[in-house]
Amino acid sequence: MIELTGLTKTFGDHRAVDDLTFTAPSGRVTGFLGPNGAGKSTALRMVCGLSRPDSGTATVDGTRFTDLPRPARVAGVMLDASAQHPGRTGAEALRLAAMAAGVDTSTVAPMLERVGLADAGGKRVGAYSLGMRQRLGIASALIGDPHVLILDEPANGLDPEGIHWMRGLLDDFAADGGTVLLSSHLLTEVQAIADRVVVLHRGRLVMEGDTDALRGEATQQLVQSTDLDALTSVLDEAGISHEAGNAGLIVDAPPASIGELALTHRLVLTRLEPSGGDLESAFLALTRSA
Ligand SMILES: Nc1ncnc2c1ncn2[C@@H]1O[C@H](COP(=O)(O)OP(=O)(O)OP(=O)(O)O)[C@@H](O)[C@H]1O
Ligand SMILES: [Mg+2]
């Protein structure tokens, strides 16, 4: 498992990661979620020993990454999918990763097959699509047969089929007792791939729990009506909390309750949709309740 304890990193006077404590347990896929600039990559780089924390510790299986005798056999890492040399073929890149990890290069062909690149192994990485580079990056992370995976934005650039594929791969990995920690700035991606979520906002932990709990936090509706003032009064009378959003009212109630209320009071709704699909409103809900 991966454990972060009081991890802190400051650049100049900007605290990018602020007293961050959480655990990514084995057997689970933990999503590390936060908007651009929240500090996800900074935290993951510290976990992988690429950057030194100002204070706090990060361990993999109880040991600091830099103290692991053969790190690639313990933890597979993908921090930047575009880091592969564009002039090498996918198979060459993976062969180098295998040698660096100290495993037999006979593992390369089955690994290309496993990530769906069997036909593209002879192609130069420079000619790969973004999604293919992500698959190659995951193959490089897996080549040492680790039981921990640390992936920074692995779903970036994947199409829906690719996301589905990744979920299957990571689920299998976790079902075998593996630990997965992956970052994303998209709530929908984390919902699709992870079963646990850690939410980071301005370097600080905002929430840690099951993905379903986050979905629950985000079940607010965006409501618009031809008579917003009347709708506001009706919601107030019904004791349903709401606030003004950019495109209408953000209402804390299931869609059916809002629809029934509108029907009873003969109000026309011009919009009724979940407002919790985006990270920002989930954050608002989280920080309000915090
Ligand atoms: N080497 C550095 N020097 C100075 N500031 C840095 C450095 N690395 C990161 N930062 C700053 O730290 C903050 C967090 O950056 P980080 O890359 O960790 O965010 P992130 O959550 O990974 O964002 P994204 O979703 O865009 O990848 C940002 O304000 C960034 O500008
Ligand atoms: Mg990042």
Side-chain angles (χ1 to χ4, degrees):
M1 75 174 186
I2 303 168
E3 236 176 333
L4 287 72
T5 312
L7 209 62
T8 300
K9 181 82 185 178
T10 305
F11 296 111
D13 57 1
H14 177 67
R15 191 160 281 195
V17 175
D18 192 358
D19 195 20
L20 183 61
T21 298
F22 74 86
T23 302
S26 60
R28 305 291 298 270
V29 178
T30 302
F32 190 24
L33 177 65
N36 294 135
K40 306 179 296 293
S41 298
T42 303
L44 293 182
R45 289 175 59 80
M46 288 192 281
V47 173
C48 298
L50 292 169
S51 160
R52 190 190 285 273
D54 296 337
S55 55
T57 54
T59 59
V60 176
D61 290 349
T63 304
R64 272 201 306 253
F65 196 95
T66 45
D67 293 338
L68 292 169
R70 296 203 295 167
R73 307 302 302 271
V74 177
V77 174
M78 179 178 77
L79 293 183
D80 183 0
S82 59
Q84 303 277 5
H85 192 296
R88 291 196 186 106
T89 67
E92 282 165 357
L94 209 48
R95 208 170 295 129
L96 287 173
M99 292 191 299
V103 295
D104 200 285
T105 50
S106 65
T107 53
V108 167
M111 185 57 75
L112 283 169
E113 178 93 40
R114 182 169 169 197
V115 299
L117 290 175
D119 295 334
K123 217 169 151 176
R124 288 187 331 116
V125 174
Y128 275 20
S129 70
L130 182 55
M132 289 164 80
R133 283 200 291 273
Q134 296 281 24
R135 285 171 188 257
L136 182 63
I138 288 167
S140 304
L142 285 169
I143 198 80
D145 194 25
H147 56 270
V148 174
L149 278 180
I150 300 167
L151 311 170
D152 197 4
E153 303 272 356
N156 187 20
L158 289 184
D159 55 21
E161 190 272 327
I163 298 230
H164 181 73
W165 163 79
M166 189 182 301
R167 167 148 211 161
L169 185 138
L170 298 180
D171 273 352
D172 290 348
F173 188 87
D176 288 341
T179 302
V180 183
L181 176 62
L182 63 93
S183 76
S184 172
H185 60 283
L186 294 174
L187 178 61
T188 46
E189 241 171 49
V190 166
Q191 283 176 340
I193 297 175
D195 54 325
R196 271 185 91 252
V197 68
V198 174
V199 182
L200 196 67
H201 189 39
R202 295 190 185 138
R204 299 188 71 98
L205 181 90
V206 189
M207 188 211 140
E208 177 177 13
D210 286 354
T211 309
D212 288 342
L214 183 62
R215 198 176 286 130
E217 293 277 4
T219 50
Q220 291 178 317
Q221 317 304 320
L222 171 64
V223 186
Q224 187 54 275
S225 167
T226 50
D227 191 346
L228 210 54
D229 288 343
L231 179 66
T232 306
S233 315
V234 162
L235 289 169
D236 285 338
E237 277 166 34
I240 295 174
S241 64
H242 57 84
E243 63 177 0
N246 287 335
L249 282 183
I250 308 293
V251 181
D252 289 314
S257 315
I258 300 168
E260 275 169 27
L261 212 55
L263 176 67
T264 309
H265 294 271
R266 301 183 58 79
L267 290 169
V268 176
L269 298 184
T270 51
R271 204 166 177 183
L272 175 58
E273 63 195 56
S275 81
D278 64 293
L279 186 57
E280 205 48 50
S281 49
F283 271 141
L284 286 175
L286 284 167
T287 42
R288 255 206 315 271
S289 61

